[in-house]
Amino acid sequence: MDHEPLASTPSVPDGRVYVLRIWEEPSVGSVGWRASVREGPRGERSYFASIDECLEYLYTEFLRR
């Protein structure tokens, strides 16, 4: 299969990369969802007891910068 070369690629503004991990964690009588976020491949990892907490953290991060 032949591929055409890409035309000039438009400029992409600087961005951020986050590694998001979500998993189920059983607890007494129920299952809870947990999450962790790390900025870039070597950033400090933050852990959250719920997905809502994780989303709030990311929202705050986006507004902060």
Side-chain angles (χ1 to χ4, degrees):
M1 174 187 248
D2 292 333
H3 295 281
E4 292 183 27
L6 293 175
S8 63
T9 305
S11 174
V12 177
D14 289 337
R16 287 169 276 169
V17 173
Y18 289 87
V19 178
L20 170 65
R21 182 173 176 250
I22 299 172
W23 66 95
E24 278 185 298
E25 190 170 282
S27 59
V28 177
S30 67
V31 173
W33 287 95
R34 306 294 185 250
S36 69
V37 172
R38 183 176 65 207
E39 187 171 359
R42 295 188 175 96
E44 184 176 329
R45 189 176 303 227
S46 299
Y47 292 90
F48 305 93
S50 72
I51 293 175
D52 288 339
E53 289 178 16
C54 179
L55 293 175
E56 182 66 31
Y57 169 81
L58 288 171
Y59 182 74
T60 303
E61 281 292 300
F62 297 145
L63 291 178
R64 185 171 61 91
R65 296 183 187 192

mmCIF file with all atom_site columns, all heavy atoms in Angstrom, residues 41-56:
data_model
loop_
_atom_site.group_PDB
_atom_site.id
_atom_site.type_symbol
_atom_site.label_atom_id
_atom_site.label_alt_id
_atom_site.label_comp_id
_atom_site.label_asym_id
_atom_site.label_entity_id
_atom_site.label_seq_id
_atom_site.pdbx_PDB_ins_code
_atom_site.Cartn_x
_atom_site.Cartn_y
_atom_site.Cartn_z
_atom_site.occupancy
_atom_site.B_iso_or_equiv
_atom_site.pdbx_formal_charge
_atom_site.auth_seq_id
_atom_site.auth_comp_id
_atom_site.auth_asym_id
_atom_site.auth_atom_id
_atom_site.pdbx_PDB_model_num
ATOM 1   N N   . PRO A 1 41 ? 6.154   11.090 31.592 1.00 0.00 ? 41 PRO A N   1
ATOM 2   C CA  . PRO A 1 41 ? 6.607   9.750  31.967 1.00 0.00 ? 41 PRO A CA  1
ATOM 3   C C   . PRO A 1 41 ? 7.383   9.689  33.273 1.00 0.00 ? 41 PRO A C   1
ATOM 4   O O   . PRO A 1 41 ? 7.518   8.629  33.863 1.00 0.00 ? 41 PRO A O   1
ATOM 5   C CB  . PRO A 1 41 ? 7.484   9.329  30.789 1.00 0.00 ? 41 PRO A CB  1
ATOM 6   C CG  . PRO A 1 41 ? 7.926   10.608 30.181 1.00 0.00 ? 41 PRO A CG  1
ATOM 7   C CD  . PRO A 1 41 ? 6.829   11.594 30.415 1.00 0.00 ? 41 PRO A CD  1
ATOM 8   N N   . ARG A 1 42 ? 7.888   10.829 33.762 1.00 0.00 ? 42 ARG A N   1
ATOM 9   C CA  . ARG A 1 42 ? 8.713   10.802 34.970 1.00 0.00 ? 42 ARG A CA  1
ATOM 10  C C   . ARG A 1 42 ? 8.209   11.710 36.088 1.00 0.00 ? 42 ARG A C   1
ATOM 11  O O   . ARG A 1 42 ? 8.884   11.891 37.082 1.00 0.00 ? 42 ARG A O   1
ATOM 12  C CB  . ARG A 1 42 ? 10.137  11.197 34.619 1.00 0.00 ? 42 ARG A CB  1
ATOM 13  C CG  . ARG A 1 42 ? 10.792  10.194 33.711 1.00 0.00 ? 42 ARG A CG  1
ATOM 14  C CD  . ARG A 1 42 ? 12.254  10.490 33.517 1.00 0.00 ? 42 ARG A CD  1
ATOM 15  N NE  . ARG A 1 42 ? 12.878  9.457  32.739 1.00 0.00 ? 42 ARG A NE  1
ATOM 16  C CZ  . ARG A 1 42 ? 13.075  9.508  31.429 1.00 0.00 ? 42 ARG A CZ  1
ATOM 17  N NH1 . ARG A 1 42 ? 12.694  10.569 30.751 1.00 0.00 ? 42 ARG A NH1 1
ATOM 18  N NH2 . ARG A 1 42 ? 13.658  8.508  30.796 1.00 0.00 ? 42 ARG A NH2 1
ATOM 19  N N   . GLY A 1 43 ? 7.024   12.263 35.925 1.00 0.00 ? 43 GLY A N   1
ATOM 20  C CA  . GLY A 1 43 ? 6.487   13.162 36.936 1.00 0.00 ? 43 GLY A CA  1
ATOM 21  C C   . GLY A 1 43 ? 6.061   12.429 38.198 1.00 0.00 ? 43 GLY A C   1
ATOM 22  O O   . GLY A 1 43 ? 5.965   11.206 38.234 1.00 0.00 ? 43 GLY A O   1
ATOM 23  N N   . GLU A 1 44 ? 5.809   13.201 39.222 1.00 0.00 ? 44 GLU A N   1
ATOM 24  C CA  . GLU A 1 44 ? 5.350   12.630 40.491 1.00 0.00 ? 44 GLU A CA  1
ATOM 25  C C   . GLU A 1 44 ? 3.929   12.117 40.317 1.00 0.00 ? 44 GLU A C   1
ATOM 26  O O   . GLU A 1 44 ? 3.082   12.769 39.719 1.00 0.00 ? 44 GLU A O   1
ATOM 27  C CB  . GLU A 1 44 ? 5.381   13.700 41.582 1.00 0.00 ? 44 GLU A CB  1
ATOM 28  C CG  . GLU A 1 44 ? 5.017   13.188 42.943 1.00 0.00 ? 44 GLU A CG  1
ATOM 29  C CD  . GLU A 1 44 ? 5.170   14.269 44.005 1.00 0.00 ? 44 GLU A CD  1
ATOM 30  O OE1 . GLU A 1 44 ? 6.037   15.132 43.852 1.00 0.00 ? 44 GLU A OE1 1
ATOM 31  O OE2 . GLU A 1 44 ? 4.388   14.229 44.966 1.00 0.00 ? 44 GLU A OE2 1
ATOM 32  N N   . ARG A 1 45 ? 3.645   10.953 40.860 1.00 0.00 ? 45 ARG A N   1
ATOM 33  C CA  . ARG A 1 45 ? 2.323   10.341 40.737 1.00 0.00 ? 45 ARG A CA  1
ATOM 34  C C   . ARG A 1 45 ? 1.437   10.793 41.899 1.00 0.00 ? 45 ARG A C   1
ATOM 35  O O   . ARG A 1 45 ? 1.884   10.837 43.029 1.00 0.00 ? 45 ARG A O   1
ATOM 36  C CB  . ARG A 1 45 ? 2.450   8.824  40.746 1.00 0.00 ? 45 ARG A CB  1
ATOM 37  C CG  . ARG A 1 45 ? 1.161   8.120  40.405 1.00 0.00 ? 45 ARG A CG  1
ATOM 38  C CD  . ARG A 1 45 ? 1.341   6.633  40.331 1.00 0.00 ? 45 ARG A CD  1
ATOM 39  N NE  . ARG A 1 45 ? 2.364   6.328  39.351 1.00 0.00 ? 45 ARG A NE  1
ATOM 40  C CZ  . ARG A 1 45 ? 2.247   5.412  38.405 1.00 0.00 ? 45 ARG A CZ  1
ATOM 41  N NH1 . ARG A 1 45 ? 1.160   4.699  38.319 1.00 0.00 ? 45 ARG A NH1 1
ATOM 42  N NH2 . ARG A 1 45 ? 3.216   5.196  37.553 1.00 0.00 ? 45 ARG A NH2 1
ATOM 43  N N   . SER A 1 46 ? 0.193   11.131 41.579 1.00 0.00 ? 46 SER A N   1
ATOM 44  C CA  . SER A 1 46 ? -0.808  11.484 42.587 1.00 0.00 ? 46 SER A CA  1
ATOM 45  C C   . SER A 1 46 ? -1.878  10.404 42.573 1.00 0.00 ? 46 SER A C   1
ATOM 46  O O   . SER A 1 46 ? -2.312  9.959  41.505 1.00 0.00 ? 46 SER A O   1
ATOM 47  C CB  . SER A 1 46 ? -1.446  12.828 42.261 1.00 0.00 ? 46 SER A CB  1
ATOM 48  O OG  . SER A 1 46 ? -0.477  13.848 42.255 1.00 0.00 ? 46 SER A OG  1
ATOM 49  N N   . TYR A 1 47 ? -2.314  9.974  43.761 1.00 0.00 ? 47 TYR A N   1
ATOM 50  C CA  . TYR A 1 47 ? -3.316  8.912  43.894 1.00 0.00 ? 47 TYR A CA  1
ATOM 51  C C   . TYR A 1 47 ? -4.629  9.493  44.394 1.00 0.00 ? 47 TYR A C   1
ATOM 52  O O   . TYR A 1 47 ? -4.633  10.439 45.185 1.00 0.00 ? 47 TYR A O   1
ATOM 53  C CB  . TYR A 1 47 ? -2.829  7.838  44.869 1.00 0.00 ? 47 TYR A CB  1
ATOM 54  C CG  . TYR A 1 47 ? -1.658  7.056  44.336 1.00 0.00 ? 47 TYR A CG  1
ATOM 55  C CD1 . TYR A 1 47 ? -0.359  7.453  44.571 1.00 0.00 ? 47 TYR A CD1 1
ATOM 56  C CD2 . TYR A 1 47 ? -1.873  5.908  43.579 1.00 0.00 ? 47 TYR A CD2 1
ATOM 57  C CE1 . TYR A 1 47 ? 0.718   6.738  44.066 1.00 0.00 ? 47 TYR A CE1 1
ATOM 58  C CE2 . TYR A 1 47 ? -0.812  5.178  43.078 1.00 0.00 ? 47 TYR A CE2 1
ATOM 59  C CZ  . TYR A 1 47 ? 0.478   5.608  43.319 1.00 0.00 ? 47 TYR A CZ  1
ATOM 60  O OH  . TYR A 1 47 ? 1.533   4.894  42.812 1.00 0.00 ? 47 TYR A OH  1
ATOM 61  N N   . PHE A 1 48 ? -5.736  8.892  43.936 1.00 0.00 ? 48 PHE A N   1
ATOM 62  C CA  . PHE A 1 48 ? -7.067  9.373  44.286 1.00 0.00 ? 48 PHE A CA  1
ATOM 63  C C   . PHE A 1 48 ? -7.962  8.210  44.689 1.00 0.00 ? 48 PHE A C   1
ATOM 64  O O   . PHE A 1 48 ? -7.920  7.145  44.080 1.00 0.00 ? 48 PHE A O   1
ATOM 65  C CB  . PHE A 1 48 ? -7.681  10.119 43.100 1.00 0.00 ? 48 PHE A CB  1
ATOM 66  C CG  . PHE A 1 48 ? -6.801  11.236 42.621 1.00 0.00 ? 48 PHE A CG  1
ATOM 67  C CD1 . PHE A 1 48 ? -5.890  11.026 41.602 1.00 0.00 ? 48 PHE A CD1 1
ATOM 68  C CD2 . PHE A 1 48 ? -6.849  12.470 43.221 1.00 0.00 ? 48 PHE A CD2 1
ATOM 69  C CE1 . PHE A 1 48 ? -5.051  12.039 41.175 1.00 0.00 ? 48 PHE A CE1 1
ATOM 70  C CE2 . PHE A 1 48 ? -6.016  13.490 42.811 1.00 0.00 ? 48 PHE A CE2 1
ATOM 71  C CZ  . PHE A 1 48 ? -5.111  13.278 41.777 1.00 0.00 ? 48 PHE A CZ  1
ATOM 72  N N   . ALA A 1 49 ? -8.795  8.451  45.699 1.00 0.00 ? 49 ALA A N   1
ATOM 73  C CA  . ALA A 1 49 ? -9.713  7.436  46.203 1.00 0.00 ? 49 ALA A CA  1
ATOM 74  C C   . ALA A 1 49 ? -10.963 7.310  45.341 1.00 0.00 ? 49 ALA A C   1
ATOM 75  O O   . ALA A 1 49 ? -11.738 6.379  45.503 1.00 0.00 ? 49 ALA A O   1
ATOM 76  C CB  . ALA A 1 49 ? -10.103 7.743  47.648 1.00 0.00 ? 49 ALA A CB  1
ATOM 77  N N   . SER A 1 50 ? -11.161 8.255  44.413 1.00 0.00 ? 50 SER A N   1
ATOM 78  C CA  . SER A 1 50 ? -12.308 8.175  43.513 1.00 0.00 ? 50 SER A CA  1
ATOM 79  C C   . SER A 1 50 ? -11.961 8.852  42.196 1.00 0.00 ? 50 SER A C   1
ATOM 80  O O   . SER A 1 50 ? -11.052 9.688  42.127 1.00 0.00 ? 50 SER A O   1
ATOM 81  C CB  . SER A 1 50 ? -13.538 8.854  44.122 1.00 0.00 ? 50 SER A CB  1
ATOM 82  O OG  . SER A 1 50 ? -13.376 10.254 44.119 1.00 0.00 ? 50 SER A OG  1
ATOM 83  N N   . ILE A 1 51 ? -12.710 8.494  41.175 1.00 0.00 ? 51 ILE A N   1
ATOM 84  C CA  . ILE A 1 51 ? -12.497 9.117  39.873 1.00 0.00 ? 51 ILE A CA  1
ATOM 85  C C   . ILE A 1 51 ? -12.891 10.588 39.928 1.00 0.00 ? 51 ILE A C   1
ATOM 86  O O   . ILE A 1 51 ? -12.258 11.429 39.295 1.00 0.00 ? 51 ILE A O   1
ATOM 87  C CB  . ILE A 1 51 ? -13.272 8.347  38.786 1.00 0.00 ? 51 ILE A CB  1
ATOM 88  C CG1 . ILE A 1 51 ? -12.655 6.952  38.638 1.00 0.00 ? 51 ILE A CG1 1
ATOM 89  C CG2 . ILE A 1 51 ? -13.231 9.083  37.456 1.00 0.00 ? 51 ILE A CG2 1
ATOM 90  C CD1 . ILE A 1 51 ? -13.382 6.037  37.701 1.00 0.00 ? 51 ILE A CD1 1
ATOM 91  N N   . ASP A 1 52 ? -13.923 10.916 40.709 1.00 0.00 ? 52 ASP A N   1
ATOM 92  C CA  . ASP A 1 52 ? -14.327 12.314 40.850 1.00 0.00 ? 52 ASP A CA  1
ATOM 93  C C   . ASP A 1 52 ? -13.185 13.174 41.392 1.00 0.00 ? 52 ASP A C   1
ATOM 94  O O   . ASP A 1 52 ? -12.957 14.282 40.912 1.00 0.00 ? 52 ASP A O   1
ATOM 95  C CB  . ASP A 1 52 ? -15.545 12.442 41.758 1.00 0.00 ? 52 ASP A CB  1
ATOM 96  C CG  . ASP A 1 52 ? -16.819 11.939 41.090 1.00 0.00 ? 52 ASP A CG  1
ATOM 97  O OD1 . ASP A 1 52 ? -16.860 11.868 39.844 1.00 0.00 ? 52 ASP A OD1 1
ATOM 98  O OD2 . ASP A 1 52 ? -17.762 11.615 41.824 1.00 0.00 ? 52 ASP A OD2 1
ATOM 99  N N   . GLU A 1 53 ? -12.474 12.671 42.391 1.00 0.00 ? 53 GLU A N   1
ATOM 100 C CA  . GLU A 1 53 ? -11.330 13.413 42.948 1.00 0.00 ? 53 GLU A CA  1
ATOM 101 C C   . GLU A 1 53 ? -10.254 13.614 41.887 1.00 0.00 ? 53 GLU A C   1
ATOM 102 O O   . GLU A 1 53 ? -9.647  14.675 41.789 1.00 0.00 ? 53 GLU A O   1
ATOM 103 C CB  . GLU A 1 53 ? -10.742 12.682 44.143 1.00 0.00 ? 53 GLU A CB  1
ATOM 104 C CG  . GLU A 1 53 ? -11.601 12.701 45.371 1.00 0.00 ? 53 GLU A CG  1
ATOM 105 C CD  . GLU A 1 53 ? -10.976 11.909 46.514 1.00 0.00 ? 53 GLU A CD  1
ATOM 106 O OE1 . GLU A 1 53 ? -9.759  11.600 46.455 1.00 0.00 ? 53 GLU A OE1 1
ATOM 107 O OE2 . GLU A 1 53 ? -11.708 11.591 47.459 1.00 0.00 ? 53 GLU A OE2 1
ATOM 108 N N   . CYS A 1 54 ? -10.019 12.592 41.087 1.00 0.00 ? 54 CYS A N   1
ATOM 109 C CA  . CYS A 1 54 ? -9.021  12.663 40.032 1.00 0.00 ? 54 CYS A CA  1
ATOM 110 C C   . CYS A 1 54 ? -9.405  13.721 38.992 1.00 0.00 ? 54 CYS A C   1
ATOM 111 O O   . CYS A 1 54 ? -8.575  14.535 38.582 1.00 0.00 ? 54 CYS A O   1
ATOM 112 C CB  . CYS A 1 54 ? -8.864  11.297 39.376 1.00 0.00 ? 54 CYS A CB  1
ATOM 113 S SG  . CYS A 1 54 ? -7.684  11.248 38.038 1.00 0.00 ? 54 CYS A SG  1
ATOM 114 N N   . LEU A 1 55 ? -10.664 13.719 38.570 1.00 0.00 ? 55 LEU A N   1
ATOM 115 C CA  . LEU A 1 55 ? -11.125 14.691 37.590 1.00 0.00 ? 55 LEU A CA  1
ATOM 116 C C   . LEU A 1 55 ? -11.054 16.115 38.131 1.00 0.00 ? 55 LEU A C   1
ATOM 117 O O   . LEU A 1 55 ? -10.695 17.047 37.404 1.00 0.00 ? 55 LEU A O   1
ATOM 118 C CB  . LEU A 1 55 ? -12.545 14.359 37.143 1.00 0.00 ? 55 LEU A CB  1
ATOM 119 C CG  . LEU A 1 55 ? -12.684 13.066 36.338 1.00 0.00 ? 55 LEU A CG  1
ATOM 120 C CD1 . LEU A 1 55 ? -14.148 12.772 36.059 1.00 0.00 ? 55 LEU A CD1 1
ATOM 121 C CD2 . LEU A 1 55 ? -11.883 13.127 35.059 1.00 0.00 ? 55 LEU A CD2 1
ATOM 122 N N   . GLU A 1 56 ? -11.369 16.285 39.400 1.00 0.00 ? 56 GLU A N   1
ATOM 123 C CA  . GLU A 1 56 ? -11.269 17.612 40.024 1.00 0.00 ? 56 GLU A CA  1
ATOM 124 C C   . GLU A 1 56 ? -9.814  18.095 40.012 1.00 0.00 ? 56 GLU A C   1
ATOM 125 O O   . GLU A 1 56 ? -9.534  19.253 39.720 1.00 0.00 ? 56 GLU A O   1
ATOM 126 C CB  . GLU A 1 56 ? -11.810 17.568 41.452 1.00 0.00 ? 56 GLU A CB  1
ATOM 127 C CG  . GLU A 1 56 ? -11.795 18.897 42.156 1.00 0.00 ? 56 GLU A CG  1
ATOM 128 C CD  . GLU A 1 56 ? -12.739 19.926 41.544 1.00 0.00 ? 56 GLU A CD  1
ATOM 129 O OE1 . GLU A 1 56 ? -13.782 19.523 40.999 1.00 0.00 ? 56 GLU A OE1 1
ATOM 130 O OE2 . GLU A 1 56 ? -12.424 21.127 41.618 1.00 0.00 ? 56 GLU A OE2 1
#
